[in-house]
Amino acid sequence: MRASSRFAAGLALAGALLNGVGAAIQTVTRNGRYLYTADGNRFYIKGVAYQEQGAVIASASNTFLEPSTFIDPLANGTACTRDLPYLQQLGVNTIRAYSVNSSLNHDSCMQTFSNAGIYTIIDLSLPGNGSMDRDAPTWTTNLLDLYIETISVFSKYNNVLAYNVGNEVVIAANGTAAATFVKAAARDVKAYINSISSSALVGYASIDGDATWLDPLANYLSCDPSGSNSGATALDLFGLNNYEWCGNSTYEASYAGIEGQFAGYNVAAYFSEYGCITSPPRLWTEVAALFSSQMTPVWSGGVAFSYFPATSAQGQFGMVTISPDGSTVTTSSDFTNLQTQYATASPPNSPSQSGAGTPTYPSCFQQNSSWLASNTLPPTPNFSACQCLENNLSCQFTPSTSNYTAIVGSLLDYACSLIGQSGGSCSAISSNGTTGQYGAVSGCDPTIMLSYVMSDYYIANGANAQSCSFGGNGTVNSKAPSSASAANTVASSCLASASGTSVPTLPAGALSPSGSSSSSSTSSSSPNAASVVLADARTLMGMGVLVAVGIVSGLWTIA
């Protein structure tokens, strides 16, 4: 193992800058199924996952040991400067960041990496409430706004290669209906990216799995539901988190199968994670295979997992350790072995950009026993329509606790059960990725969904104030209509523009690229003290149970 001081790291950084790595980074674009830099050379992702792990709470519902908090890796300029020499020693040209906080300042880190020729792949989701719930997926204003606000803030940087709209949302055949919402997210994020003239790609990172659902997932996320060869709903970049190569394996034993599965794929693909830990030490001999002429006709490189220590259900990952004061990096054999393999990787510069062909998007296939996702996608969530609805609801959710994310799910279930007992239903707030049916309010923030259901119950009970209490979490809106017919008229008017697709726009007060961001964490006393944040309360996704949301509105007949 090797330790280096902050002083040594600073010398290495200064030397790197003197050697000219600060030249302008080239734009990377996709032609057909391949990536190319502006000078026409084929681009391969030679990457590493770059995200310190947040708090992990092991539970029966968290079998993947996913963190509940996160540390923004691109908001601490001191730490990025510390790590740059080691990333350069690894020979990486890309880092993947899994969670970022759009309210923080990222100028220092992004400029540091841009000057060094290092691109970023940024996941737009956040732990917990900032991600699509695998068990009850939806595509709502709060998640869309979180995504496009992050894109807006990062749009001023020239080294964003791609934004991931999800990571391992679909993990089994019985959960493939969730892909409907992932595809809708890709559609809306792509529309927003195009509207701001950004060159960033739209990606998704998938868990590896059985070919009976993994192949359809990849093809679904790159197909055209309209059958007109349009890429409006398709990914640019499909990522596969693949850990098949363990120890000193071979191409035939570990990769030949997946190579065959993706042989005819129509968009760019890469390994969004790789690096098996079950047969230590990690030799990283898969690098030679991944960048060889056997695999480069299909794959455009990969991201080794992980630079920082990370605990998983499989065991402990990590190539370096950081001293408690954040000043010293100590590398392991994982680091030096990957450094050796990346140094010898020399993928072919083919096909030429002119020979890569034009993008094609086949028509989407029909559902079957192992593929549940509908080709009818949910509409673009409409913030203005949802806000109009909220302002005119007669019973509004006014939580008695600041930790309202913890009670929205249970209150929704409770309110829908009450409506169900009265012969009504909650379909106006429900989404079904298998049937392709989406309630008129299903694209709104869950708090607005809750106010809608509470208002439904309140009106059904003769506008009795007690019916709006819900344990002290509801308040009667005296300016709203109190009869069912009047309420339905106002709600229908608000939601008239909420169907179909549109180009998303930032809601009023959202952060702009030039920034009303908070102070950078580089001013903290420790260079390892980038802000640790809970899942953003603005997102409120994955409310947990929402079981009763499958019931349909009998009291209000919003179309």
Side-chain angles (χ1 to χ4, degrees), residues 267-337:
V267 301
Y270 75 116
F271 283 6
S272 39
E273 290 177 8
Y274 69 94
C276 170
I277 57 171
T278 59
S279 300
R282 291 203 286 182
L283 303 175
W284 299 106
T285 48
E286 65 262 49
V287 169
L290 183 58
F291 290 89
S292 72
S293 57
Q294 280 183 304
M295 296 190 69
T296 51
V298 173
W299 305 96
S300 293
V303 174
F305 191 86
S306 154
Y307 179 80
F308 293 108
T311 301
S312 76
Q314 285 189 325
Q316 185 70 32
F317 289 86
M319 303 174 199
V320 305
T321 54
I322 310 297
S323 62
D325 67 357
S327 65
T328 304
V329 177
T330 302
T331 61
S332 68
S333 61
D334 270 11
F335 180 97
T336 52
N337 289 342

Side-chain angles (χ1 to χ4, degrees), residues 417-435:
S417 68
L418 292 176
I419 291 172
Q421 291 168 19
S422 303
S425 61
C426 281
S427 75
I429 66 169
S430 70
S431 296
N432 191 318
T434 298
T435 64

Side-chain angles (χ1 to χ4, degrees), residues 6 29 38 48 66 118 141 149 156 182 255 283-284 312 366 379 387 455 499 515 528 539-540:
R6 185 188 307 170
T29 56
V48 67
E66 293 169 323
I118 295 175
T141 55
E149 186 169 324
K156 64 180 177 179
V182 176
Y255 287 162
L283 303 175
W284 299 106
S312 76
Q366 298 302 308
Q387 191 172 52
S455 296
S499 61
N528 213 35
T539 61
L540 276 171

Side-chain angles (χ1 to χ4, degrees), residues 54-89:
V56 175
I57 301 174
S59 67
S61 61
N62 188 21
T63 55
F64 287 96
L65 296 183
E66 293 169 323
S68 57
T69 64
F70 70 95
I71 303 168
D72 188 332
L74 302 178
N76 188 334
T78 304
C80 292
T81 300
R82 175 202 66 202
D83 292 330
L84 177 61
Y86 300 96
L87 297 173
Q88 291 176 314
Q89 288 174 38

Side-chain angles (χ1 to χ4, degrees), residues 459-478:
I459 290 174
N461 283 273
N464 184 322
Q466 188 57 37
S467 299
C468 181
S469 174
F470 288 89
N473 292 295
T475 300
V476 173
N477 178 8
S478 60

